[in-house]
Amino acid sequence: MKILDSSQIAAFRAFVESHDAFIVAGHKDPDGDCVSSSLTAAAILKALDKECVLLNAGPFKRPEIRQYERQFTDQIPFLSQEDRKRTGLLVVDCSELNRIGDYGESLKGFDTFIVDHHKTAETPAGAQSVIDPTSPAAVCLLTMLYEGIVGKPDAETAKTMFLGLSTDTGFFRFLREDSADVFELAARLVRYGANPNKMYNRITGGKPWSTRKLLGILLSRTELYCNGKLALTYETMEDTKNYGQEGRDSDALYSALLSAQGIQAAVFLRQETESSCTGGFRSLDDVDVSAVAAKFGGGGHKNASGMSVQGKIATLIPQIVKEFSKVL
């Protein structure tokens, strides 16, 4: 993770000070980093006496973020032409407007600033940005901006920041030997009031029993490809009907798959509708799953990426295996 320099902090502050109000938007199907990045951005704006609306299409499925849902809206507020001129768009934890939801066209034309950490980021034309793919979470960048502009966060803000850092690092499991700066940032958040023990229990606990049943089904359905280096499983629409969408626990699935000897990458496909699927890709070490996700219009990080694509599981599996055979 790179430490933000004074020019980056100054550029962000100048952007904020050049507008009276803001729309803060994160990607649809938000995770802890998206939510905490949005709330940290809002905390900076509040400290600078700026109005803001937190926009997210949802759904807020993950148990650890449900308590924040009421602070967000899934509707863009009506703005006159004069209002649009004085309103800035701050996009966090993603760069592409189409990842925000069905707002893409409506959000074009706003003066825009992006704060993101995804390798496959493609910013809208004319947008300013702070993007660092070496940062394990977007909230790390927002935290440094907060510290540089506002100063020391209060305990509640620090806890919110720590949520995003914890979830996107797999509670620090995904960090490597070059992560000293990340741990130093985490230590500051603990000094400010974050509690690692309570946060771990909040992230990992509270799962519905149905998710344990579904986890067993997904593990039993898993097949190995690429000489045992790729594990792939899937969830059907019937599975979703039987076990629900609440409290899905794909992190436990990925952990179980990647802990098996010889497996270097894991794929989890879900048939969302009769004609569309989502997919999650995870990997170890030097296997770049973002390169595979990009082949299907998705993206993300080197070791954690995703996609949303038209098609059926049975058709997608051989296509995905073919692409993984090029990187495994």
Side-chain angles (χ1 to χ4, degrees):
M1 179 181 75
K2 300 173 184 175
I3 304 301
L4 296 187
D5 60 38
S6 58
S7 64
Q8 291 172 299
I9 296 172
F12 183 83
R13 179 162 193 157
F15 176 81
V16 171
E17 291 180 339
S18 66
H19 301 86
D20 297 325
F22 292 85
I23 296 173
V24 178
H27 60 78
K28 59 186 176 181
D29 193 9
D31 56 7
D33 187 27
C34 179
V35 168
S36 63
S37 294
S38 298
L39 293 171
T40 301
I44 297 173
L45 298 174
K46 180 179 179 181
L48 296 177
D49 295 320
K50 302 293 183 177
E51 302 173 14
C52 78
V53 171
L54 291 173
L55 178 68
N56 198 286
F60 287 70
K61 295 180 294 190
R62 295 166 173 81
E64 65 270 18
I65 64 172
R66 286 198 194 113
Q67 71 183 76
Y68 301 110
E69 182 175 6
R70 64 182 182 274
Q71 298 183 50
F72 291 78
T73 179
D74 60 0
Q75 300 293 322
I76 299 176
F78 172 78
L79 297 173
S80 67
Q81 284 300 111
E82 285 302 311
D83 289 335
R84 289 179 68 92
K85 291 178 182 178
R86 71 185 191 92
T87 300
L89 174 62
L90 182 54
V91 180
V92 299
D93 199 32
C94 70
S95 299
E96 302 86 353
L97 295 184
N98 61 2
R99 289 198 63 210
I100 296 174
D102 297 328
Y103 311 115
E105 290 300 319
S106 300
L107 292 175
K108 288 181 178 178
F110 282 97
D111 194 14
T112 302
F113 201 108
I114 308 286
V115 182
D116 192 17
H117 70 132
H118 291 98
K119 180 179 178 181
T120 54
E122 294 182 7
T123 60
Q128 299 181 65
S129 64
V130 171
I131 298 176
D132 177 15
T134 70
S135 178
V139 77
C140 293
L141 306 175
L142 270 304
T143 297
M144 287 186 280
L145 290 170
Y146 187 103
E147 291 175 317
I149 295 171
V150 183
K152 175 183 174 180
D154 59 34
E156 286 306 311
T157 302
K159 292 173 185 176
T160 302
M161 294 168 170
F162 198 76
L163 168 66
L165 176 58
S166 299
T167 52
D168 253 30
T169 61
F171 214 81
F172 308 101
R173 302 194 316 273
F174 306 147
L175 297 181
R176 301 183 181 183
E177 65 275 5
D178 59 351
S179 302
D181 289 333
V182 181
F183 281 102
E184 287 172 2
L185 185 149
R188 294 200 302 275
L189 294 179
V190 172
R191 284 196 293 271
Y192 298 151
N195 185 313
N197 174 260
K198 289 184 177 180
M199 186 59 68
Y200 180 81
N201 291 334
R202 176 177 162 188
I203 293 170
T204 60
K207 311 294 185 185
W209 177 246
S210 60
T211 65
R212 308 301 95 178
K213 299 281 285 185
L214 180 59
L215 180 60
I217 291 171
L218 298 176
L219 288 172
S220 67
R221 188 179 286 158
T222 303
E223 297 288 345
L224 299 182
Y225 301 90
C226 302
N227 296 318
K229 297 177 182 179
L230 172 66
L232 187 151
T233 189
Y234 58 88
E235 178 182 325
T236 67
M237 293 176 66
E238 186 68 18
D239 294 330
T240 305
K241 178 181 178 181
N242 291 336
Y243 298 102
Q245 300 185 34
E246 297 301 311
R248 288 170 168 172
D249 193 11
S250 54
D251 185 59
L253 174 64
Y254 294 128
S255 296
L257 295 176
L258 291 172
S259 66
Q261 185 177 11
I263 295 177
Q264 297 180 21
V267 174
F268 174 34
L269 298 177
R270 182 184 292 122
Q271 192 76 50
E272 299 286 357
T273 70
E274 292 290 349
S275 60
S276 66
C277 290
T278 55
F281 304 156
R282 299 292 186 273
S283 66
L284 301 175
D285 303 324
D286 294 327
V287 180
D288 187 355
V289 293
S290 70
V292 178
K295 296 290 185 179
F296 298 90
H301 307 290
K302 178 180 179 181
N303 299 121
S305 292
M307 68 173 190
S308 180
V309 66
Q310 294 297 303
K312 291 183 178 292
I313 288 172
T315 304
L316 286 170
I317 287 176
Q319 298 176 29
I320 291 170
V321 172
K322 179 180 178 181
E323 293 301 327
F324 266 100
S325 68
K326 300 175 183 178
V327 299
L328 288 175

